[in-house]
Amino acid sequence: PHSRRSFQTLLATPAAMAAAIAGDAETDLTLPISDDLDDNGFPASPPTAATTSSFADDFYRSGIDWSSLQAPPSHRRRPAAGTIETVCGPLVQKNLFQAWGIEKPAAGMAQKVCGPQVQKNLFQAWGIEKPPREEAAQGAPVGARASSSSPSPSPSGAWPGRKRRWGGSDENGASRKPVACPFYKKIPGTPFTVDAFRYGAVEGCSAYFLSHFHCDHYGGLTKKWCRGPIYCTALTARLVKMLLSIDSAYVCPLELDTEYVIDGVKVTFLEANHCPGAALIHFRLSDGKTYLHTGDFRASKSMQLHPLLQTGRISLLYLDTTYCNPKYKFPPQEDVIDFVVRTAQRYLKKQPKTLIVVGAYSIGKENVYLAISQALEVPIYTDASRRRILHSFGWPDLSKRISSCNQSSPLHVLPLASLQHENLKKYLETLDQRFLAVLAFRPTGWTFSEAAGKELDLIKPSSRGRVTIYGVPYSEHSSFSELRDFLKFLRPQKVIPTVNVGNAANRDKMQAYFREWLKST
């Protein structure tokens, strides 16, 4: 049986909220981290003054796109007397025009601009239409936010002085409305939203739920968050506080498979089989209606054994439809992992000095490189920021395998976006001949090929020189057939897709699939 707890969802002050969650023994590891996210999906940690490192070290620590960085010149002019030369520390993006593939203005065209050149209109540079903005109707005088120097939030909950999607001022100084929160992020009949942090203070919302710690879901959360309590799993709560520096008074960790009563609604988190800390969120209203929000998930047969999903009918299902397309027929995760391990063993037998690289997001894909580590009996090397995250999971078998020395193991984990031939070639060159070749795996559903289908041995790698890259269909989202089986089991009264809903044709096609799957139930 599920235990039951109660939370008061909106308290008058942060101190009162802290008292309400005083049972959370988690230490607040707040750090002065930039709000900017790196390619791993978390803020890049500031370098220490005492640290000097190579170009490759800086790159792989920060996770920034290689093509946009330049190494500091080996020779510089001597700094003027009384000045300090700041050439150590992180690499910088020296030429935005070149990095973005646009033409730098001709000499003489920017003579009226004081200081460094800036790119004022990214929409025009990228060839896309600038979204329309409406004037804010919050009752604040025009330009009030721009002139405010106080760090405290405005009555609407938006922070002054920061131009984000939900606020700021237009070019004429007029206040703007936040971008409207999509209906599929709101739970009807409740004051709740799910993964809705980039829309300002959502009207009528007193509790914000976070399904998991991926940046497309927590986007909008910053250390200045003050709009209300954030409900998430305990593991996600640790990441939110540690990496985003959110005030712990606003973070409310909930355990899986435990029923909580929040504003009169019974709420239970279920395992989502997506990434560490990800949860399905089950809501049972006082009138008997039940809603299930999947966040991101990979449906499995084990989910069908959960008592909450076996009893009663779901009134409304918010469904992760990332791969709601018949062409996506993923093999089981276990089969993909077995293929990856066998392939790594085969390459190492042929060339013992092969470096095995696994691409991963900030969190997710751990089962892939953990299986390789176990099979080869080698430690896992990755950068300091990822090591910090992995240790925070509290998984002993994973923590004991993590190494901080890139020479000590033939298994390295790098940002998924960095797994390109040229990047890996340069990375190999930094390892002082410790390895002679690279075998890399890109584990994502987007690499799925209909030609290979579930026959993994038909996958053709991309090889160039000493670098070989395999795209393997290890997905942490549901395949088309898994979505079908999940809906046929669950029999929801209504389904709302949450991904690929940008045009009517996609929505209509998905609803046609849902009707077909449910008509026989």
Side-chain angles (χ1 to χ4, degrees), residues 1 38 71 81 157 263 270 488 495:
D38 65 19
D263 272 7
L270 287 63
K488 284 191 170 185
V495 183

Side-chain angles (χ1 to χ4, degrees), residues 219-237:
L221 272 178
T222 72
K223 61 185 177 182
K224 294 182 179 180
W225 177 265
C226 63
R227 295 189 177 97
I230 303 166
Y231 292 97
C232 55
T233 63
L235 192 155
T236 300

Side-chain angles (χ1 to χ4, degrees), residues 331-339 474:
Q333 290 176 326
E334 295 78 11
D335 291 356
V336 180
I337 290 175
D338 180 66
F339 171 77
Y474 179 88

Side-chain angles (χ1 to χ4, degrees), residues 148-425:
S148 173
S149 59
S150 171
S152 61
S154 67
S156 65
W159 286 89
R162 295 191 65 87
K163 291 188 177 180
R164 296 192 177 272
R165 290 186 61 187
W166 55 80
S169 303
D170 61 21
E171 294 177 357
N172 298 319
S175 300
R176 291 195 299 259
K177 273 186 178 180
V179 175
C181 178
F183 78 94
Y184 55 83
K185 292 183 177 289
K186 300 177 181 179
I187 305 302
T190 75
F192 305 156
T193 59
V194 177
D195 299 338
F197 301 97
R198 63 177 75 243
Y199 308 102
V202 179
E203 184 178 358
C205 179
S206 63
Y208 294 79
F209 286 80
L210 175 58
S211 63
H212 63 290
F213 194 78
H214 276 163
C215 60
D216 54 330
H217 292 257
Y218 69 69
L221 272 178
T222 72
K223 61 185 177 182
K224 294 182 179 180
W225 177 265
C226 63
R227 295 189 177 97
I230 303 166
Y231 292 97
C232 55
T233 63
L235 192 155
T236 300
R238 291 197 291 273
L239 295 173
V240 164
K241 292 186 287 186
M242 182 175 74
L243 298 173
L244 301 182
S245 301
I246 304 296
D247 187 340
S248 60
Y250 291 101
V251 182
C252 304
L254 307 182
E255 297 298 327
L256 290 173
D257 302 319
T258 301
E259 186 180 89
Y260 297 83
V261 178
I262 304 173
D263 272 7
V265 178
K266 297 177 181 178
V267 180
T268 307
F269 282 177
L270 287 63
E271 172 58 49
N273 191 30
H274 177 61
C275 68
L280 310 177
I281 310 175
H282 185 279
F283 302 94
R284 184 181 297 278
L285 279 62
S286 58
D287 61 6
K289 291 180 180 178
T290 56
Y291 304 143
L292 182 67
H293 199 295
T294 65
D296 285 348
F297 84 129
R298 181 151 187 184
S300 65
K301 295 295 183 182
S302 62
M303 290 179 182
Q304 299 181 15
L305 302 177
H306 198 286
L308 275 180
L309 303 185
Q310 284 187 327
T311 59
R313 190 171 184 183
I314 297 296
S315 308
L316 183 57
L317 173 66
Y318 296 83
L319 185 66
D320 166 21
T321 47
T322 300
Y323 292 111
C324 190
N325 185 313
K327 74 178 183 180
Y328 293 114
K329 303 172 183 177
F330 303 140
Q333 290 176 326
E334 295 78 11
D335 291 356
V336 180
I337 290 175
D338 180 66
F339 171 77
V340 168
V341 169
R342 286 189 288 107
T343 303
Q345 291 171 329
R346 187 173 78 251
Y347 273 75
L348 283 169
K349 185 176 182 180
K350 182 179 178 180
Q351 172 51 268
K353 297 186 75 174
T354 296
L355 173 66
I356 309 298
V357 173
V358 177
Y361 307 121
S362 58
I363 60 173
K365 319 300 183 184
E366 292 82 8
N367 289 334
V368 177
Y369 51 84
L370 181 57
I372 298 174
S373 173
Q374 293 169 337
L376 302 182
E377 297 182 342
V378 297
I380 302 165
Y381 168 76
T382 190
D383 60 38
S385 57
R386 190 184 301 276
R387 291 198 301 271
R388 186 176 176 221
I389 288 176
L390 296 178
H391 283 302
S392 77
F393 293 172
W395 297 354
D397 192 42
L398 177 60
S399 291
K400 71 181 182 183
R401 295 176 180 274
I402 298 172
S403 169
S404 61
C405 177
N406 63 3
Q407 300 279 332
S408 67
S409 172
L411 175 58
H412 291 199
V413 181
L414 301 178
L416 192 59
S418 72
L419 264 62
Q420 306 295 334
H421 284 279
E422 192 63 26
N423 294 347
L424 293 174
K425 177 185 175 183

Side-chain angles (χ1 to χ4, degrees), residues 23-237:
D24 177 22
E26 195 65 41
T27 302
D28 186 9
L29 302 176
T30 304
L31 293 177
I33 298 176
S34 168
D35 290 337
D36 293 331
L37 301 178
D38 65 19
D39 283 352
N40 273 327
F42 48 81
S45 299
T48 59
T51 301
T52 59
S53 55
S54 70
F55 176 32
D57 288 338
D58 276 340
F59 166 64
Y60 284 102
R61 182 182 302 112
S62 66
I64 298 172
D65 183 3
W66 185 290
S67 65
S68 65
L69 296 176
Q70 294 182 354
S74 57
H75 301 286
R76 290 180 180 267
R77 291 181 300 176
R78 180 174 298 177
T83 64
I84 299 176
E85 186 179 28
T86 57
V87 299
C88 297
L91 299 164
V92 295
Q93 190 172 27
K94 293 284 186 72
N95 189 336
L96 296 182
F97 299 101
Q98 181 181 358
W100 291 340
I102 61 177
E103 185 177 354
K104 184 175 181 179
M109 293 184 64
Q111 296 301 316
K112 295 182 179 180
V113 179
C114 298
Q117 291 176 327
V118 294
Q119 189 174 17
K120 289 192 174 179
N121 191 339
L122 294 182
F123 299 102
Q124 181 180 358
W126 292 336
I128 60 177
E129 184 179 353
K130 184 175 181 179
R133 296 283 192 177
E134 297 179 359
E135 291 186 358
Q138 303 294 335
V142 171
R145 289 183 186 173
S147 63
S148 173
S149 59
S150 171
S152 61
S154 67
S156 65
W159 286 89
R162 295 191 65 87
K163 291 188 177 180
R164 296 192 177 272
R165 290 186 61 187
W166 55 80
S169 303
D170 61 21
E171 294 177 357
N172 298 319
S175 300
R176 291 195 299 259
K177 273 186 178 180
V179 175
C181 178
F183 78 94
Y184 55 83
K185 292 183 177 289
K186 300 177 181 179
I187 305 302
T190 75
F192 305 156
T193 59
V194 177
D195 299 338
F197 301 97
R198 63 177 75 243
Y199 308 102
V202 179
E203 184 178 358
C205 179
S206 63
Y208 294 79
F209 286 80
L210 175 58
S211 63
H212 63 290
F213 194 78
H214 276 163
C215 60
D216 54 330
H217 292 257
Y218 69 69
L221 272 178
T222 72
K223 61 185 177 182
K224 294 182 179 180
W225 177 265
C226 63
R227 295 189 177 97
I230 303 166
Y231 292 97
C232 55
T233 63
L235 192 155
T236 300

